[in-house]
């Protein structure tokens, strides 16, 4: 008889053969634009800490202060013994940033998506989901047991055709999308989605994980960027990227949040966010309001790097890189296959650059994913372009 766990080795071998094998790498010291990765100083183009707040002394002090005052853990679920005044303060601050009636903090962005989608729709309902949505949105849809129909990435005409075909057969309908797509950095066509939602009586859930703090004049995200601030929406996001902490949130109407507090297992049956994470995120939301120059500098970095990549890397005849369109601090260079991207990632690392070499199954096609931080030095961006230019000649 075969060993019941023998299949694990076989599967791992298959993952190796496909060049899909992944493992962790250790970073030491504070997060920032230059980090120590496995003992090597590298310029960090692989972080989601877009505003450079994860190592900011104000967030660190807030976390220390909250730990001293409230302890390390919140010790219970929010509805039992896990609720602290800090949670309310953070929820009020998020609602103020998003200009919504209320907000609810979850233990992670992943959980916020699972917990919200699964609470809002069920077997009699329909989910229309962008094909490139984040894993947490896809798994939330599966958990909900609603009928799931994917539409082609950002294709409004395809979404409309699918609404015409399916909407009338279901009770509620939820359109689900990333706002900044995490693997390409492109933006969803939010105003068009909102218009279709009105026409077909649908709710819209937009995941602002990569947009909060970054997009929009006040950093409220793509909802603000697209002028949809007072549109009835379900805005979900994370505290772990531009906010430099850990946790997730949902922002929307008072009724939505009240419903989730009563019906979302992913919020009800889990321990409240730790005091340290809550306080750090609260400090970050305040900084986002007070320091718009962080966003402005990040926008300038995006422009500079995009221009450099277009002029000096992309335009070369034999270049292995194909720059994907983006309006966010996530810039992607698509490459031919998984083996090439791994090789390029290794070369870049040898030259002192830490970038993500992303492969299937995370994405449909392999790519070098570069994320920018407001705290990067212009000189680091220039060196990255120079190095990529050299690599495009290899
Ligand atoms: N949504 C998107 C679009 C994300 O990229 C991520 C994180 N990679 C999440 C949700 C999950 O957020 P968290 O890391 O807080 O669980």
């Amino acid at each position: 008889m075969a060993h019941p766990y023998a299949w694990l080795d076989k599967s791992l071998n298959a993952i190796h053969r496909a060049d899909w094998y992944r493992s962790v790498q250790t970073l030491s010291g504070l997060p920032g634009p230059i980090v120590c990765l496995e003992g090597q100083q590298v310029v960090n183009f692989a972080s989601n800490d877009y505003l450079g707040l994860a190592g900011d002394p104000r967030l660190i002090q807030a976390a220390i202060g909250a730990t001293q005052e409230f302890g390390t853990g919140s010790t219970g679920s929010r509805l039992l013994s896990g609720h602290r005044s800090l949670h309310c303060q953070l929820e009020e601050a998020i609602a103020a940033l998003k200009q919504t009636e209320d907000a609810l903090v979850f233990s992670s962005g992943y959980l916020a998506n699972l917990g919200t989608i699964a609470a809002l729709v069920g077997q009699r309902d329909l989910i229309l989901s962008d094909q490139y949505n984040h894993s947490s949105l896809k798994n939330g849809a599966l958990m909900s047991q609603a009928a799931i129909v994917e539409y082609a990435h950002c294709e409004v005409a395809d979404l409309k055709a699918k609404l015409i075909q399916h909407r009338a057969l279901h009770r509620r309908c939820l359109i689900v999308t990333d706002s900044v797509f995490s693997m390409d950095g492109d933006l969803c066509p939010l105003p068009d989605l909102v218009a279709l939602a009105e026409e077909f009586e649908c709710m819209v859930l937009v995941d602002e994980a990569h947009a909060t703090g970054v997009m929009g004049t006040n950093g409220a995200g793509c909802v603000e960027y697209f002028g949809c601030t007072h549109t009835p929406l379900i805005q979900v996001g994370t505290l772990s990227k531009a906010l430099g902490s850990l946790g997730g949130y949902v922002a929307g109407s008072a009724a939505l949040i009240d419903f989730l507090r009563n019906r979302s297992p992913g919020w009800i049956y889990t321990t409240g966010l730790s005091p340290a994470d809550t306080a750090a995120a609260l400090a970050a939301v305040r900084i986002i309001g007070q320091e718009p120059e962080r966003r402005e500098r990040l926008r300038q970095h995006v422009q500079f790097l995009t221009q450099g990549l277009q002029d000096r890397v992309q335009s070369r005849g034999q270049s292995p890189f194909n720059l994907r369109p983006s309006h966010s601090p996530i810039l992607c260079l698509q490459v031919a296959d998984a083996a090439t991207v791994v090789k390029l990632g290794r070369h870049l690392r040898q030259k002192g650059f830490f970038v993500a070499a992303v492969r299937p199954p995370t994405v449909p096609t392999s790519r070098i994913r570069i994320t920018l931080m407001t705290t990067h030095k212009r000189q680091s961006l220039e060196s990255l372009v120079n190095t990529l230019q050299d690599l495009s000649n290899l």
Side-chain angles (χ1 to χ4, degrees):
M1 218 165 65
H3 191 282
Y5 300 100
W7 65 271
L8 283 170
D9 286 328
K10 276 195 192 156
S11 285
L12 278 168
N13 286 338
I15 293 170
H16 275 294
R17 278 198 305 276
D19 272 316
W20 285 7
Y21 186 76
R22 300 190 286 190
S23 56
V24 296
Q25 308 177 73
T26 308
L27 266 97
S28 41
L30 283 178
I34 310 250
V35 286
C36 182
L37 175 65
E38 308 270 341
Q40 182 196 359
Q41 289 268 317
V42 287
V43 189
N44 186 5
F45 288 109
S47 168
N48 297 319
D49 183 19
Y50 301 114
L51 298 179
L53 293 179
D56 189 288
R58 292 166 291 182
L59 271 72
I60 294 173
Q61 278 315 312
I64 292 171
T67 306
Q68 282 167 341
E69 189 176 350
F70 298 103
T72 48
S74 57
T75 72
S77 64
R78 293 277 298 280
L79 290 175
L80 282 173
S81 58
H83 180 67
R84 304 285 177 277
S85 56
L86 271 178
H87 293 125
C88 265
Q89 287 172 43
L90 177 58
E91 286 164 350
E92 281 167 16
I94 292 170
L97 173 68
K98 303 276 176 181
Q99 295 191 49
T100 55
E101 287 174 353
D102 207 350
L104 189 64
V105 166
F106 283 69
S107 302
S108 76
Y110 206 104
L111 203 52
N113 280 332
L114 295 184
T116 303
I117 297 172
L120 294 179
V121 286
Q123 273 174 354
R124 295 164 61 196
D125 304 320
L126 172 66
I127 290 177
L128 280 154
S129 176
D130 188 290
Q131 72 177 128
Y132 288 173
N133 274 345
H134 187 257
S135 152
S136 53
L137 297 173
K138 293 193 175 194
N139 280 325
L142 288 173
M143 258 179 73
S144 76
Q145 298 187 20
I148 303 166
V149 176
E150 284 200 337
Y151 58 91
H153 179 52
C154 290
E155 289 289 340
V156 178
D158 188 43
L159 171 58
K160 183 165 185 171
K162 286 179 170 152
L163 279 165
I164 291 169
Q165 194 184 349
H166 299 278
R167 174 66 187 99
L169 306 173
H170 299 271
R171 182 183 58 168
R172 299 179 200 134
C173 177
L174 180 66
I175 298 172
V176 176
T177 185
D178 281 20
S179 65
V180 171
F181 282 86
S182 53
M183 287 299 140
D184 282 321
D186 54 340
L187 311 185
C188 75
L190 190 60
D192 294 330
L193 302 185
V194 166
L196 281 179
E198 273 170 21
E199 188 181 340
F200 288 88
E201 202 193 322
C202 306
M203 304 177 282
V204 179
L205 182 146
V206 56
D207 181 347
E208 294 268 59
H210 294 272
T212 299
V214 171
M215 303 296 295
T217 312
N218 299 299
C222 279
V223 172
E224 181 190 14
Y225 175 87
F226 282 119
C228 298
T229 299
H230 295 292
T231 308
L233 290 167
I234 300 151
Q235 300 181 48
V236 186
T238 178
L239 308 174
S240 66
K241 302 192 194 294
L243 275 64
S245 180
L246 180 71
Y249 66 82
V250 183
S253 70
L256 169 76
I257 301 304
D258 218 16
F259 176 81
L260 292 174
R261 268 194 292 260
N262 284 278
R263 278 284 184 276
S264 175
W267 185 79
I268 299 170
Y269 299 108
T270 190
T271 303
L273 194 65
S274 80
D277 291 323
T278 312
L282 181 58
V285 177
R286 289 182 179 144
I287 292 170
I288 281 170
Q290 290 157 359
E291 299 179 6
E293 61 275 16
R294 286 179 178 267
R295 267 185 299 289
E296 186 43 41
R297 190 171 154 76
L298 185 58
R299 261 191 283 276
Q300 287 168 7
H301 281 347
V302 172
Q303 252 177 16
F304 180 83
L305 187 62
T306 306
Q307 197 68 54
L309 293 174
Q310 274 169 355
D311 295 349
R312 294 177 37 214
V313 177
Q314 163 93 357
S315 62
R316 304 185 80 79
Q318 296 297 308
S319 175
F321 302 112
N322 179 21
L323 179 65
R324 310 272 307 163
S326 165
H327 291 93
S328 73
I330 303 170
L331 297 178
C332 278
L333 293 163
Q334 203 170 305
V335 303
D337 51 57
T340 311
V341 87
V342 173
K343 198 175 79 188
L344 289 167
R346 228 178 276 130
H347 276 304
L348 284 163
R349 172 80 176 275
Q350 277 162 7
K351 301 281 178 195
F353 299 103
F354 181 27
V355 299
V358 197
R359 289 159 279 167
T362 307
V363 284
T365 51
S366 298
R367 67 207 55 194
I368 295 286
R369 179 176 181 269
I370 301 161
T371 51
L372 288 170
M373 298 168 68
T374 197
T375 42
H376 276 131
K377 294 262 183 295
R378 186 53 73 85
Q379 195 192 346
S380 302
L381 309 188
E382 270 165 16
S383 320
L384 178 66
V385 173
N386 289 340
T387 305
L388 284 164
Q389 186 178 9
D390 292 345
L391 286 178
S392 67
N393 293 326
L394 283 185

